[in-house]
């Protein structure tokens, strides 16, 4: 079993100073752009694997990363020292770590060597489908571990969307015409067929959000099975995921972490997000809201202590402002119109009040209580205008 307990960063990328503590379960890093969320994951992965993808900050030639981990109930402290962009290489002290970066999720090259195919995979989903077929369908002797993992894959279909069910995975032969010589060439492709409310169809024809969710889950299974050769739900290592909400519809943003927790219940998860929906669905103690001061020191934002429900009762606007550090969730145009409205009221300028009111009234949602409030505030000016 492996757990990351604490992290210390000094003068790495945009972070001057940072100290973090992690829980053994799910840890969700959030904050404004540039706060260093990706640097945190890169630093952990670099120390664990002995391969760094970070550099010293532009203001210093010296930096360091320190990780305190618990490995099989023994505490281990590892440090990597940087000097003018060079660092003392450390041998990896654990292989029990999966790092799912944004570049990894946007490219099929990282797993293209897994396949005997007619042409390179065209997307991460295409690559995962080919791995599925070769690993589970072409094999004549599936181990008990692979049987259980394949059952998990079937369940993933329904976990993402309760209306969807696994139907079949099959190899198809198709022909494509290549210009300018108009040569027909046959190639193989994998159809991952899913039973949907609209009939049976290949996963390629489903929404981009569904495909993105499916690809995350399936590639995690692929990596865990290849690395450890054990049942996925028994994995007790660390999984890092950068921008877990990437490409996902808000509906799936709100449930992707719960699905991953179901998939790897014994793992430690450290993820980053820009989504208030991910934060809204978290349990107590799972959110690490980061903020940076004027000296580039990163620290955890002081928030009202959450109860056992976390921030599941907060609305999106409250999370954006008070957890993620957004100064104002409203648009620049809206803020300009509301300011004009308030200034018009203070100056008793009928034309300015009416102009701003008409703009705001057309912008606000019909059920927004602010609509009724500004109508009351502008009522005397609107009556005067009607009389004239």
């Amino acid at each position: 079993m492996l757990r990351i307990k604490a992290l210390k960063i000094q003068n790495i990328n945009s972070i001057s100073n940072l100290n973090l503590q992690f829980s053994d379960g799910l840890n969700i890093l959030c904050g404004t752009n540039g706060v260093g969320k990706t640097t945190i994951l890169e630093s952990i992965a670099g120390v664990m694997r002995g391969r760094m993808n970070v550099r010293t900050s532009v203001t210093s030639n010296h930096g360091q990363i320190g990780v305190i981990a618990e490995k099989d109930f023994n505490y281990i402290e590892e440090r990597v020292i940087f000097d003018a962009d060079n660092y003392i290489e450390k041998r990896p002290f654990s292989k029990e770590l999966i790092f799912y970066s944004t570049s990894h999720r946007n490219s099929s090259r990282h797993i293209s060597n897994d396949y005997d195919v007619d042409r390179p995979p065209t997307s991460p989903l295409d690559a995962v489908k080919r791995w599925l077929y070769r690993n589970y369908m072409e094999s004549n002797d599936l181990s008990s571990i692979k049987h259980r993992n394949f059952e998990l894959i079937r369940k993933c279909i329904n976990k993402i969307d309760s209306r969807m069910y696994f139907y079949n995975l099959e190899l198809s032969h198709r022909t494509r015409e290549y210009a300018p010589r108009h040569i027909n060439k046959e190639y193989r492709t994998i159809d991952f067929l899913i039973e949907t409310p609209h009939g049976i169809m290949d996963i390629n024809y489903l929404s981009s959000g569904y495909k993105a969710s499916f690809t995350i889950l399936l590639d995690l299974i692929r990596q865990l099975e290849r690395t450890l050769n054990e049942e996925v739900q028994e994995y007790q290592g660390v999984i890092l995921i950068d921008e877990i909400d990437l490409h996902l519809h808000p509906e799936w943003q709100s449930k992707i972490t719960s699905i991953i927790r179901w998939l790897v219940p014994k793992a430690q998860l450290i993820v980053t997000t820009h989504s208030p929906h991910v934060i809204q669905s978290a349990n107590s103690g799972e959110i690490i809201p980061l903020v940076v001061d004027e000296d580039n020191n990163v620290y955890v934002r002081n928030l009202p202590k959450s109860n056992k429900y976390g921030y599941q009762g907060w609305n999106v606007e409250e999370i954006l402002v008070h957890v993620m550090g957004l100064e104002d969730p409203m648009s620049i145009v809206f803020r300009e119109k509301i300011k004009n409205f308030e200034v018009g009221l203070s100056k008793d300028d009928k034309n300015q009040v009416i102009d701003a009111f008409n703009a705001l009234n057309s912008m606000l949602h019909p059920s927004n209580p602010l609509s009724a409030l500004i109508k009351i505030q502008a009522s005397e000016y609107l009556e005067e205008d009607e009389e004239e």
Side-chain angles (χ1 to χ4, degrees):
M1 184 183 76
L2 176 69
R3 291 292 183 267
I4 306 298
K5 293 295 187 178
L7 172 70
K8 181 175 183 178
I9 297 177
Q10 290 182 319
N11 298 322
I12 299 297
N13 287 358
S14 62
I15 299 177
S16 294
N17 191 54
L18 167 68
N19 288 279
L20 281 183
Q21 308 288 323
F22 298 101
S23 68
D24 288 349
L26 174 62
N27 301 265
I28 302 175
L29 299 166
C30 63
T32 56
N33 262 345
V35 78
K37 299 184 294 294
T38 299
T39 297
I40 291 169
L41 299 192
E42 294 277 8
S43 297
I44 294 171
V47 173
M48 300 290 290
R49 294 174 169 178
R51 302 190 307 271
M52 286 293 167
N53 193 33
V54 296
R55 60 184 295 278
T56 58
S57 63
V58 294
T59 58
S60 176
N61 289 328
H62 303 280
Q64 68 172 318
I65 302 170
V67 171
I68 297 176
E70 183 183 357
K71 171 72 172 168
D72 297 330
F73 305 105
N74 295 313
Y75 276 84
I76 302 169
E77 184 170 358
E78 286 285 323
R79 284 196 307 161
V80 174
I81 309 297
F82 291 73
D83 185 6
D85 290 343
N86 296 312
Y87 64 90
I88 302 172
E89 293 192 20
K90 298 279 188 180
R91 64 179 179 82
F93 69 84
S94 179
K95 295 181 180 178
E96 296 177 53
L97 180 138
I98 301 294
F99 183 21
Y100 210 47
S101 67
T102 54
S103 60
H104 181 106
R105 292 155 66 180
N106 287 326
S107 171
S108 60
R109 292 179 299 172
H110 65 285
I111 48 178
S112 60
N113 292 331
D114 286 349
Y115 314 99
D116 177 19
V117 295
D118 303 312
R119 60 176 185 168
T122 57
S123 68
L125 175 60
D126 183 30
V128 166
K129 285 167 60 178
R130 297 185 193 199
W131 168 76
L132 275 172
Y133 187 83
R134 182 172 183 179
N135 198 43
Y136 297 106
M137 308 306 287
E138 286 189 339
S139 177
N140 295 321
D141 184 23
L142 288 184
S143 66
S144 59
I145 290 174
K146 285 191 174 184
H147 269 296
R148 287 193 290 271
N149 287 344
F150 190 64
E151 280 304 306
L152 278 180
I153 291 169
R154 293 165 62 103
K155 290 177 181 178
C156 282
I157 301 296
N158 186 250
K159 281 285 183 179
I160 300 171
D161 189 326
S162 60
R163 303 169 302 167
M164 309 284 194
Y165 299 91
F166 172 82
Y167 182 77
N168 198 15
L169 183 65
E170 58 187 37
L171 181 67
S172 297
H173 294 267
R174 296 178 182 168
T175 302
R176 180 178 178 181
E177 184 178 87
Y178 288 84
R181 297 183 179 180
H182 303 290
I183 298 174
N184 291 330
K185 184 176 180 181
E186 187 178 87
Y187 65 92
R188 297 178 298 167
T189 186
I190 307 300
D191 294 331
F192 194 96
L193 302 177
I194 295 178
E195 186 178 339
T196 78
H198 309 290
I200 295 168
M201 61 181 67
D202 183 72
I203 192 172
N204 281 341
Y205 297 104
L206 300 181
S207 71
S208 59
Y210 188 95
K211 291 185 287 187
S213 301
F214 179 82
T215 304
I216 291 174
L217 300 175
L218 270 290
D219 199 36
L220 283 176
I221 293 174
R222 182 196 70 86
Q223 292 190 65
L224 292 171
E225 187 178 277
R226 290 191 61 193
T227 303
L228 302 171
N229 191 31
E230 69 177 6
E231 189 175 350
V232 168
Q233 291 195 316
E234 295 301 316
Y235 177 67
Q236 299 184 54
V238 178
I239 297 175
L240 312 176
I241 305 177
D242 198 14
E243 295 188 28
I244 195 169
D245 52 288
L246 191 67
H247 305 316
L248 300 185
H249 183 277
E251 179 185 354
W252 286 309
Q253 291 175 14
S254 65
K255 60 185 178 182
I256 187 64
T257 53
S258 64
I259 297 174
I260 294 177
R261 278 187 300 219
W262 160 81
L263 183 65
V264 281
K266 299 180 180 180
Q268 181 187 37
L269 295 167
I270 304 176
V271 307
T272 72
T273 187
H274 291 111
S275 167
H277 303 286
V278 171
I279 295 169
Q280 194 178 46
S281 64
N283 296 322
S284 177
E286 293 179 338
I287 303 298
I288 305 177
L290 300 175
V291 66
V292 59
D293 65 19
E294 56 191 21
D295 297 319
N296 286 328
N297 297 309
V298 181
Y299 59 93
V300 179
R301 182 185 294 273
N302 187 21
L303 293 177
K305 188 175 181 180
S306 62
N307 58 24
K308 65 179 181 178
Y309 297 106
Y311 301 106
Q312 296 180 56
W314 290 31
N315 62 38
V316 169
E317 182 177 319
E318 290 165 342
I319 291 172
L320 286 170
V321 174
H322 300 293
V323 179
M324 304 186 71
L326 187 66
E327 291 186 6
D328 194 322
M330 304 307 293
S331 70
I332 295 174
V333 173
F334 176 82
R335 296 201 298 269
E336 177 186 316
K337 297 301 182 185
I338 199 72
K339 183 178 179 180
N340 289 344
F341 183 74
E342 292 169 350
V343 170
L345 289 174
S346 66
K347 294 167 54 178
D348 196 23
D349 187 328
K350 183 181 76 171
N351 291 332
Q352 185 171 347
V353 170
I354 292 176
D355 287 345
F357 169 80
N358 289 335
L360 290 169
N361 196 43
S362 63
M363 293 169 67
L364 288 167
H365 190 279
S367 63
N368 192 321
L370 184 57
S371 294
L373 177 61
I374 63 172
K375 189 170 184 178
I376 292 172
Q377 292 176 306
S379 59
E380 62 177 286
Y381 300 100
L382 296 173
E383 291 170 2
E384 289 177 11
D385 195 52
E386 289 175 357
E387 291 174 1
E388 294 177 359

